[in-house]
Amino acid sequence: MENRETSPTHHAPGSTVWAGLMGRCPSCHRGKLFAGYLTLAPRCNVCGLDYDFAESGDGPAVFVILVTGFIVVGAALIVEVLYRPPYWLHALLWGSLALVLPLLLLRAFKGVLIALQFKHKAEEGKLASD
Ligand SMILES: [Zn+2]
């Protein structure tokens, strides 16, 4: 009988995205995925999963740029229409938000993309003759 607490292959439904958001191992959802802010650990400290498969590339940065742009531009337009603040206040508000928001989102997005890459066994395409 499989032990649900220690099995590296057991997943609660919908928990893959949550494990990625929390920076947890995509297999056991308990070990640490990151060794630094964006640096991956070599392997899971709980189940031993090797993180060599994980290659998120520019994916997290692209999503972070899109989400940050949507939020910052949308908020700037709403504030301009409602309150018409001076331009220096726009620059202060949205410049700061455009710097802080990506720093907050990048790690979570990278964790989610790696978790989804693991779940769906996504990997680089190969030719059949190789
Ligand atoms: Zn693990």
Side-chain angles (χ1 to χ4, degrees), residues 25 27-31 44 46-49 51:
C25 169
S27 180
C28 68
H29 299 181
R30 291 170 39 214
C44 175
V46 174
C47 71
L49 174 70
Y51 293 147

Side-chain angles (χ1 to χ4, degrees), residues 75-91:
L77 288 173
I78 290 170
V79 168
E80 172 62 23
V81 168
L82 292 180
Y83 305 108
R84 296 194 175 270
Y87 288 130
W88 67 264
L89 187 56
H90 272 299

Side-chain angles (χ1 to χ4, degrees), residues 20-45:
L21 283 172
M22 294 292 104
R24 296 292 174 192
C25 169
S27 180
C28 68
H29 299 181
R30 291 170 39 214
K32 289 182 179 176
L33 181 62
F34 295 101
Y37 176 63
L38 289 175
T39 306
L40 289 181
R43 66 191 48 79
C44 175
N45 61 345

